[in-house]
Amino acid sequence: MKIMVKKMQKTRATHLGLTVTFVLLPMIHLYAQQRPIPVQPVSPAPVSVIGPQGATSTPNGAAATIAPSTYLLGPDDQITVQGPEMDEIVGKPYRIDPSGYVSLPMLGRVKAGGMTISDFEGQLNHAAAKYVRDPQLVASVTEFHSQPVSVVGAVQQPGAQQLQGKKTLMQLISVVGGFRSDAGNTLSIAREIQWGPLPLPNAKTDPSGEYSVAEISIQELLIEKNPQLNILMMPNDVVTVPVSETVYVVGDVHKAGGFLLGEHKDMTVLQAVALAEGIDGTSDAKHSRIIHHPADASQRTETPVDVKRILAGKAGDVPLDGGDILFVPGSLSKKAGLKTMEAVIQTASGIAIWRF
């Protein structure tokens, strides 16, 4: 009897153990799935976004332009500082004051004016060495204010202008009041080669090797036909807007004089006659001629042109270049006939008045 009781107790214990196991195993598995697994955080790497013409921007939005090694910092230039172990300083814009110093947390006033970026970084790291072993601070220019750009020629307010932040060519032209009415059809830009070549298709280096030069069509710039022409300006850029060339119309026309080509490269005979308000009735238009004056001041040349047939649409129009003279001669026979007619009219008028 005792043996049977022990067997029954042993059987119940086995069943209880199996029941507990089947109940606890799903719970343990569910707990293991829901329990978060710790992951070692990874610090994101700094990201720099490359902008136009060598400009870079950091995640905090500060834009920096790679200044040439010879660029000298000056008053109102804005700089940013980057580097490890100096969180109080890095990633913030700093303005150079009129005395040429920049005020930085911890480091105080540091000389910057008249220094290159490399020299200024040496000053920074020397001052930071009091707080950090072997500091590795680097500086970049985010705004150029101390270096001028010049606009000369046919603009409303020619002269030197200080760059206030980043300015495009059209913004610079707006600052000087726009083009004058006698502005030519192209402008030229000269940039110091230390800032790199001009980002224009026709840019070339001048014979001295110190400047990158290019020409831009004013008409294409104004109508935004090619937005790439509206480039960013750099310190010491020189923009030259030449005065427009002139075409002259003389002789038997209603309004003789000179007429500017303006934004156009050339003018036609028909356009020139229209600006001169047409030809006189006594003109010998079919014997007109174009007088060319070469730029090198060599001997002039003449080209015969039949203005009468051009006006009648029986001959093709003829282009005129800057400096050309369209001469429309008078007809001696027509003038003689006109004078005779005038004399007859005057005589007849006198007789009529005498009779009455």
Side-chain angles (χ1 to χ4, degrees):
M1 187 69 177
K2 290 182 179 181
I3 294 173
M4 291 180 64
V5 171
K6 286 182 180 181
K7 286 183 179 181
M8 291 177 64
Q9 289 177 346
K10 191 174 183 179
T11 302
R12 287 177 182 177
T14 302
H15 288 169
L16 180 61
L18 290 174
T19 301
V20 171
T21 300
F22 285 124
V23 172
L24 290 180
L25 278 176
M27 293 178 65
I28 293 171
H29 179 68
L30 180 62
Y31 174 75
Q33 287 183 332
Q34 293 181 347
R35 183 184 179 186
I37 300 174
V39 179
Q40 183 67 24
V42 179
S43 300
V47 178
S48 292
V49 181
I50 304 299
Q53 301 188 27
T56 61
S57 62
T58 54
N60 60 8
T65 300
I66 301 175
S69 58
T70 56
Y71 177 75
L72 299 180
L73 297 170
D76 284 338
D77 280 350
Q78 182 175 284
I79 60 175
T80 56
V81 180
Q82 301 292 341
E85 301 183 23
M86 298 291 287
D87 295 339
E88 298 82 357
I89 299 175
V90 301
K92 302 172 185 177
Y94 300 99
R95 185 80 60 185
I96 301 175
D97 63 27
S99 59
Y101 285 82
V102 59
S103 297
L104 300 167
M106 297 176 60
L107 305 186
R109 284 164 55 84
V110 179
K111 176 69 173 177
M115 293 185 172
T116 64
I117 291 291
S118 178
D119 293 338
F120 176 63
E121 289 174 348
Q123 290 280 90
L124 278 178
N125 288 309
H126 178 73
K130 300 176 183 178
Y131 307 97
V132 177
R133 180 180 297 178
D134 191 21
Q136 300 293 325
L137 297 177
V138 294
S140 57
V141 183
T142 53
E143 289 185 9
F144 296 94
H145 288 265
S146 62
Q147 300 295 328
V149 294
S150 299
V151 186
V152 296
V155 293
Q156 299 294 342
Q157 301 170 12
Q161 300 289 332
Q162 295 292 333
L163 284 179
Q164 300 296 320
K166 293 186 179 299
K167 286 285 188 295
T168 63
L169 176 57
M170 277 304 299
Q171 288 173 328
L172 178 62
I173 296 299
S174 298
V175 169
V176 297
F179 299 108
R180 293 200 317 242
S181 58
D182 61 344
N185 53 29
T186 61
L187 61 81
S188 62
I189 302 177
R191 173 170 296 173
E192 293 178 353
I193 202 68
Q194 63 181 355
W195 292 98
L198 287 164
L200 295 168
N202 63 347
K204 59 183 180 181
T205 304
D206 76 329
S208 70
E210 297 180 357
Y211 295 91
S212 175
V213 295
E215 285 191 352
I216 291 177
S217 167
I218 291 179
Q219 185 177 17
E220 291 186 7
L221 180 66
L222 292 176
I223 65 176
E224 297 183 350
K225 184 177 180 180
N226 186 357
Q228 294 180 349
L229 298 178
N230 192 25
I231 63 174
L232 284 176
M233 306 308 296
M234 293 294 177
N236 297 317
D237 280 357
V238 178
V239 179
T240 304
V241 183
V243 175
S244 173
E245 294 187 282
T246 306
V247 167
Y248 302 90
V249 183
V250 295
D252 272 25
V253 293
H254 293 305
K255 183 183 177 181
F259 304 99
L260 296 174
L261 291 178
E263 62 184 19
H264 304 287
K265 292 183 178 181
D266 53 30
M267 183 184 295
T268 66
V269 167
L270 192 58
Q271 290 172 329
V273 172
L275 291 172
E277 299 180 359
I279 59 177
D280 291 336
T282 58
S283 65
D284 184 13
K286 64 181 180 180
H287 292 114
S288 300
R289 56 185 182 271
I290 301 171
I291 303 171
H292 307 280
H293 285 276
D296 58 2
S298 60
Q299 188 175 3
R300 74 179 190 178
T301 59
E302 295 184 3
T303 302
V305 58
D306 190 341
V307 173
K308 185 176 181 180
R309 287 178 59 84
I310 293 175
L311 291 175
K314 297 179 180 180
D317 210 351
V318 179
L320 299 170
D321 296 325
D324 283 354
I325 301 173
L326 174 63
F327 174 60
V328 182
S331 172
L332 294 177
S333 60
K334 288 182 180 179
K335 288 182 179 181
L338 181 61
K339 287 183 179 181
T340 301
M341 184 64 68
E342 288 176 352
V344 170
I345 292 173
Q346 288 178 358
T347 302
S349 299
I351 294 173
I353 293 172
W354 180 76
R355 285 185 177 181
F356 292 98

